[in-house]
Amino acid sequence: MRHSLLAAASVLAILTAPSLALAQEQGGEIRVGQRVSGETTEQGRDYLLTLGAGEGFEAIMRSDDIDSVLELYGPDSDGEALARDDDGLNDGLNSRLRFVAPAAGQYRLRALALVEEGPFELSVQRWRPAAFRSTNLTLGRSVSSALNNRSPEDADGQRFQQFRIDLAAGQRISIRAESDDFDTVASIGNENFGMFEELARNDDGPDMGLNSLLNFSAPKAGTYAIRVASVSEGAGRFTLVAQEAEPLAEPIAFVIGESVEGRLNDKTPVGLGDVRADRYALQAEAGKAYEISVVSNDFDSYLAVYDAEGQEVASDDDSGGELNASTVFVPSVSGTYVVEARGLSNIEGAYTLSIEEVAAPPAPVELNIGQEVEGELTDDDARLSGSQRYDAYRFTGTEGQRLQITLISSEFDAVLEVSKADGSFSAIATDDDGMGQGTDSRLMFDVPADGDYIVRAQSFGEGRGSYELRLTDRGPEPKPGSLLIGSTVRGSLSENDNTTTDGPMSSGGYYDDYVFNARKDEKLRFILVAPKFDAVVMVGQATGSGHNWMKQDDDGLSDTHSRLIWTAPRDGEYVVRVTSFGANSTGDYSLIVERQP
């Protein structure tokens, strides 16, 4: 964390931000056809926009001072944005967001700054998606088409071709998109007022190379839209065919507590995972725990559990040791579930499936932010699989809160997972060796929405033993400081700093950023001295999706100190980053920035 700057003839402005606990700043109401001016805050500034069903708009956010970002939240938002745009206007760092309201109501349009806060202008105009032609698709009949510069574009600027097909409720079809010219992506969904709501997609189907194979079951009767696009910006000819999919095999009755021997072969029907699978019916009760294992000496086994609607609720690949699959499933609702025993691709071979009821996991232990607890993994703890054990803790977070969770043990390889507390456990964040030294875990978790969360302290394999778990609030996100060429910055890396996730140094080390202005062909020297960590200095420019790092140095001055000589390619604002080679290093540093002849 930056804490001071001493320079003979320069000033470093260290920007501070209000607490994340403050309420969202309100900008008032905005109407279609209106233009307003404002200034962003760290949490953004919200404008209320009332829309009718099918009413579309285009919001444009401009600023000469900030990298603007627009987000849209619905009338019943649970913290997830309906739409987001960073640099969609394609003229610098200005944003453009286009949207058609699926339902009438009051929406929240949020104006944000990607880095530093500042003034902006926001305008909202009426907008409708450009009309395009959808080709009717008949089951079993192949069609030939092409992607080119005349193909329609979606809201993200991706070219596509769209087809329509009528399906009955529960009807299951197989969609194949093949091309010798580009890597295809096939998707199916609903078109609502010209906007596409994706329900399923596939990039590279099993044994299909770069072609797509998508199996889909219609949740209700109606007309569905199928889109074919390219993974990148590819173009060319393609063929598309939709046909009745192989019927799903009726699940085989299974008695809990027993084992069955099975074999996959070329006559095994395809399951919900789009590969050959044997399907078994599991009558499960809410709150009870069921250990499911698929063991094979012939192939890398995989298992998946589906609910009555065909939604995957649990899966595993190698938790059973070697290449065997094993998981403990705790349903939140009683009913009939389907367990698919399969491989990662269309494979043949024998396997053994076993399902047994095990002790239900205890209620999670309450964990307060700022608290450190000591625990121990034993054979009596909740089962993650046949060999793995875990302890669960519950904590409460607020949207945008920056948390750090550490799990330290000298006796096992520590792993952390976080899930929302409602429903079955489904990890939304995980870490294995994030401490960057040994096998301890450190998970940086930005809370996505207000609510309760579960963190699991577990081992990577069969490990048992004592551990320390710590949950800390990292405070508001540090903002880049600013510096003048010819100055010396003295700062410190700490656990409250951001961590590297992009560029050549993406090992999770703490970092401080500083912005500066340089002229074209100006030659600069950066010297970074850090007595307590292996110093790394990087220079580049901020972009809409992160940074474009142009040059870096690790040990250019000595074994652990850095020296970087760099020439600015153009006039503009640049970023110099101070970070460490290791992922968990902290300590004081000095950064000198000098002009070179």
Side-chain angles (χ1 to χ4, degrees):
M1 177 181 293
R2 295 173 297 277
H3 62 263
S4 66
L5 163 66
L6 302 178
S10 65
V11 176
L12 170 63
I14 299 179
L15 302 178
T16 59
S19 168
L20 288 174
L22 293 179
Q24 181 72 39
E25 292 288 340
Q26 298 295 327
E29 293 191 13
I30 190 170
R31 299 183 303 277
V32 174
Q34 187 177 2
R35 181 189 301 270
V36 298
S37 298
E39 185 159 339
T40 62
T41 67
E42 182 177 358
Q43 291 296 289
R45 190 172 294 277
D46 279 3
Y47 294 86
L48 300 179
L49 178 62
T50 301
L51 299 171
E55 186 175 1
F57 72 91
E58 176 186 77
I60 295 177
M61 181 179 175
R62 300 179 185 270
S63 176
D64 294 328
D65 301 298
I66 63 173
D67 187 350
S68 64
V69 178
L70 283 170
E71 294 179 345
L72 184 72
Y73 295 84
D76 301 318
S77 174
D78 59 355
E80 297 291 333
L82 296 175
R84 187 178 191 274
D85 181 79
D86 182 4
D87 300 327
L89 198 57
N90 295 322
D91 68 342
L93 302 179
N94 298 316
S95 300
R96 179 183 65 189
L97 186 151
R98 292 170 169 174
F99 188 78
V100 177
Q106 195 170 64
Y107 293 75
R108 286 185 294 129
L109 184 62
R110 181 170 297 173
L112 292 155
L114 189 64
V115 185
E116 298 179 2
E117 285 72 49
F120 64 87
E121 287 191 353
L122 175 65
S123 63
V124 178
Q125 300 294 330
R126 198 171 303 280
W127 172 82
R128 294 288 297 176
F132 60 88
R133 186 174 65 88
S134 294
T135 303
N136 290 326
L137 194 62
T138 302
L139 278 177
R141 180 174 297 176
S142 177
V143 297
S144 179
S145 186
L147 281 182
N148 51 45
N149 57 11
R150 296 187 300 276
S151 301
E153 292 183 344
D154 61 18
D156 297 323
Q158 185 180 41
R159 299 283 184 181
F160 68 90
Q161 291 290 4
Q162 180 165 297
F163 305 82
R164 295 187 305 177
I165 191 167
D166 293 326
L167 299 175
Q171 187 174 5
R172 182 170 166 80
I173 62 170
S174 177
I175 303 166
R176 299 172 66 99
E178 300 180 73
S179 174
D180 294 329
D181 299 327
F182 61 91
D183 186 353
T184 63
V185 176
S187 57
I188 187 168
N190 296 314
E191 185 182 353
N192 192 10
F193 299 112
M195 300 294 285
F196 183 67
E197 178 192 3
E198 182 178 285
L199 298 177
R201 72 156 41 203
N202 178 265
D203 175 11
D204 302 326
D207 307 324
M208 292 280 290
L210 298 180
N211 297 313
S212 304
L213 173 61
L214 174 61
N215 289 319
F216 175 74
S217 297
K220 60 182 180 180
T223 300
Y224 291 83
I226 297 175
R227 288 190 174 184
V228 177
S230 170
V231 169
S232 56
E233 296 182 356
R237 304 292 302 180
F238 68 88
T239 59
L240 174 71
V241 61
Q243 54 194 7
E244 293 284 354
E246 291 184 51
L248 290 172
E250 286 296 320
I252 304 167
F254 190 90
V255 178
I256 296 173
E258 296 184 358
S259 297
V260 297
E261 305 293 329
R263 176 176 288 276
L264 302 176
N265 54 47
D266 58 359
K267 294 182 174 56
T268 304
V270 172
L272 285 170
D274 289 342
V275 297
R276 291 191 288 265
D278 284 340
R279 294 159 49 81
Y280 296 87
L282 169 61
Q283 299 292 332
E285 295 184 33
K288 289 189 175 182
Y290 303 89
E291 184 174 9
I292 309 170
S293 299
V294 178
V295 177
S296 175
N297 294 323
D298 296 336
F299 59 88
D300 184 355
S301 63
Y302 188 90
L303 70 85
V305 184
Y306 298 91
D307 62 15
E309 283 72 42
Q311 298 298 311
E312 183 179 295
V313 292
S315 64
D316 185 73
D317 182 10
D318 297 328
S319 295
E322 300 295 334
L323 298 178
N324 298 312
S326 178
T327 191
V328 174
F329 171 55
V330 183
S332 56
V333 177
S334 298
T336 301
Y337 293 83
V338 174
V339 178
E340 286 194 352
R342 62 177 191 252
L344 291 174
S345 60
N346 283 322
I347 202 74
E348 297 184 18
Y351 66 88
T352 300
L353 169 69
S354 62
I355 305 177
E356 61 177 328
E357 186 178 336
V358 295
V365 177
E366 293 297 327
L367 180 65
N368 297 320
I369 294 176
Q371 183 179 0
E372 181 176 324
V373 297
E374 295 182 354
E376 183 179 7
L377 288 183
T378 71
D379 290 338
D380 297 327
D381 282 328
R383 291 173 176 242
L384 188 65
S385 65
S387 59
Q388 288 180 293
R389 301 292 185 267
Y390 70 90
D391 287 339
Y393 297 84
R394 176 190 292 263
F395 67 90
T396 301
T398 57
E399 182 180 349
Q401 197 169 15
R402 299 170 67 244
L403 302 178
Q404 175 176 277
I405 311 170
T406 58
L407 180 62
I408 299 173
S409 175
S410 60
E411 301 182 54
F412 61 84
D413 187 351
V415 176
L416 287 168
E417 289 188 334
V418 175
S419 167
K420 291 184 177 180
D422 53 329
S424 300
F425 188 93
S426 178
I428 57 176
T430 184
D431 179 77
D432 180 8
D433 300 326
M435 291 290 280
Q437 52 191 20
T439 58
D440 296 326
S441 296
R442 180 190 65 183
L443 176 61
M444 302 300 186
F445 181 60
D446 293 345
V447 180
D450 294 354
D452 290 342
Y453 294 83
I454 303 295
V455 57
R456 283 181 174 177
Q458 61 196 55
S459 66
F460 181 76
E462 300 180 2
R464 306 286 189 270
S466 59
Y467 63 83
E468 292 181 358
L469 177 69
R470 184 181 180 190
L471 175 63
T472 56
D473 190 336
R474 302 172 63 213
E477 180 180 357
K479 299 298 181 180
S482 59
L483 59 81
L484 296 176
I485 297 171
S487 66
T488 299
V489 177
R490 291 190 173 92
S492 179
L493 295 184
S494 78
E495 291 185 351
N496 292 329
D497 283 327
N498 292 315
T499 54
T500 56
T501 57
D502 66 339
M505 291 300 299
S506 56
S507 59
Y510 301 115
Y511 70 84
D512 286 339
D513 280 353
Y514 299 91
V515 296
F516 65 95
N517 288 293
R519 300 188 304 274
K520 184 177 185 297
D521 296 329
E522 191 169 16
K523 190 175 183 180
L524 303 177
R525 180 172 67 174
F526 302 86
I527 297 176
L528 178 60
V529 178
K532 294 186 177 180
F533 61 86
D534 188 351
V536 176
V537 63
M538 305 163 61
V539 65
Q541 280 188 308
T543 66
S545 58
H547 292 82
N548 175 26
W549 296 113
M550 301 172 181
K551 198 171 184 181
Q552 69 160 0
D553 181 77
D554 178 11
D555 302 326
L557 187 62
S558 69
D559 287 344
T560 59
H561 305 310
S562 302
R563 177 178 60 191
L564 186 153
I565 296 177
W566 169 81
T567 301
R570 63 188 73 86
D571 291 353
E573 183 180 83
Y574 295 88
V575 178
V576 57
R577 173 166 293 181
V578 174
T579 187
S580 64
F581 188 81
N584 200 40
S585 301
T586 60
D588 296 338
Y589 62 82
S590 295
L591 173 65
I592 303 169
V593 185
E594 303 173 322
R595 286 187 176 88
Q596 295 295 288

